[in-house]
Amino acid sequence: DQQVKQNSPSLSVQEGRISILNCDYTNSMFDYFLWYKKYPAEGPTFLISISSIKDKNEDGRFTVFLNKSAKHLSLHIVPSQPGDSAVYFCAASFGGGADGLTFGKGTHLIIQP
Amino acid sequence: DAGVIQSPRHEVTEMGQEVTLRCKPISGHDYLFWYRQTMMRGLELLIYFNNNVPIDDSGMPEDRFSAKMPNASFSTLKIQPSEPRDSAVYFCASSLGGGSGNTIYFGEGSWLTVV
């Protein structure tokens, strides 16, 4: 019973186009959401986050959208670059704590030249 | 600044042997987490500590797994006896504070293979 779901194990996008990674959650108590990026043989690194009181957060080429009613969030990368090829994990927490993020299984983004 | 440091990076061991994974969190961080990554289950939280005290170990799969944090700069995750299904990447992570806005920083992981 995964509380955070990333239903696309992989996604292939052409360089310069928009990459959209999706994430669904089931626990309505989650109040903070994060995206992590992971390269092979490295640990996940924090990319961007959003609080449940917002519906959008932007940081350069990265934008996260949150739809609370649908329990859905998405990460948009525009324009996609070769260095964006990595595994992206969606994560969520609740109760005002970083006490153990709940992660999705990840989506492997491949940026094609 | 040094990040979260884990050792060993790679470990191959035989079934039944004891495995000890080590972690040095970022200096000053008061939360430490152990995660496990597998293809089937993704990233799972095993246990976390706050100020060296274990807070939630509900993710520890079995009694064969144990974790300690004797001081603020060191933690271990031990598996005894190890089994092939324990093969995974084990990540240690740390953060400053427990609020939702606090970023968790991960180490590079310890790749464990049990044969």
Side-chain angles (χ1 to χ4, degrees), chain A residues 32 36 41 96-99 101 105, chain B residues 9 35 40 48 98-100 104 107:
Chain A
Y32 202 74
Y36 277 76
D99 311 345
L101 296 172
K105 290 188 178 181
Chain B
R9 288 296 312 277
Y35 280 87
M40 289 294 293
Y48 77 91
S100 288
I104 293 180

Side-chain angles (χ1 to χ4, degrees), chain B residues 37-107:
Chain B
Q37 183 187 12
T38 60
M39 290 293 291
M40 289 294 293
R41 301 176 69 87
L43 270 168
E44 303 173 273
L45 176 66
L46 301 178
I47 185 172
Y48 77 91
F49 297 81
N50 176 217
N51 291 322
N52 315 338
V53 176
I55 303 300
D56 184 355
D57 65 354
S58 59
M60 298 284 262
E62 299 174 32
D63 291 345
R64 299 184 295 106
F65 286 70
S66 63
K68 294 181 179 179
M69 192 166 186
N71 58 63
S73 59
F74 183 66
S75 176
T76 60
L77 177 67
K78 187 176 292 186
I79 308 171
Q80 166 64 17
S82 58
E83 296 182 3
R85 59 192 167 125
D86 302 330
S87 298
V89 184
Y90 291 82
F91 289 101
C92 178
S94 69
S95 70
L96 177 60
S100 288
N102 295 293
T103 302
I104 293 180
Y105 296 87
F106 284 79

Side-chain angles (χ1 to χ4, degrees), chain A:
Chain A
D1 57 337
Q2 283 244 304
Q3 296 188 64
V4 177
K5 300 178 183 178
Q6 295 177 257
N7 293 320
S8 298
S10 66
L11 175 67
S12 184
V13 175
Q14 270 197 315
E15 182 179 355
R17 306 293 287 266
I18 182 172
S19 295
I20 300 177
L21 294 92
N22 294 303
C23 177
D24 298 295
Y25 61 95
T26 57
N27 191 337
S28 57
M29 299 292 289
F30 287 138
D31 61 6
Y32 202 74
F33 304 88
L34 308 89
W35 285 94
Y36 277 76
K37 178 179 180 178
K38 184 183 180 304
Y39 291 119
E42 295 184 8
T45 55
F46 171 75
L47 185 59
I48 193 170
S49 62
I50 188 168
S51 165
S52 62
I53 63 173
K54 295 186 175 181
D55 54 19
K56 177 183 174 181
N57 188 26
E58 191 172 350
D59 183 2
R61 296 186 298 113
F62 303 91
T63 303
V64 56
F65 295 92
L66 175 62
N67 182 334
K68 288 191 294 293
S69 60
K71 295 191 179 68
H72 177 83
L73 65 155
S74 60
L75 174 67
H76 292 212
I77 306 173
V78 182
S80 301
Q81 298 175 353
D84 297 331
S85 295
V87 177
Y88 290 78
F89 289 96
C90 173
S93 68
F94 65 93
D99 311 345
L101 296 172
T102 300
F103 283 86
K105 290 188 178 181
T107 296
H108 185 193
L109 176 63
I110 302 163
I111 305 301
Q112 294 182 334

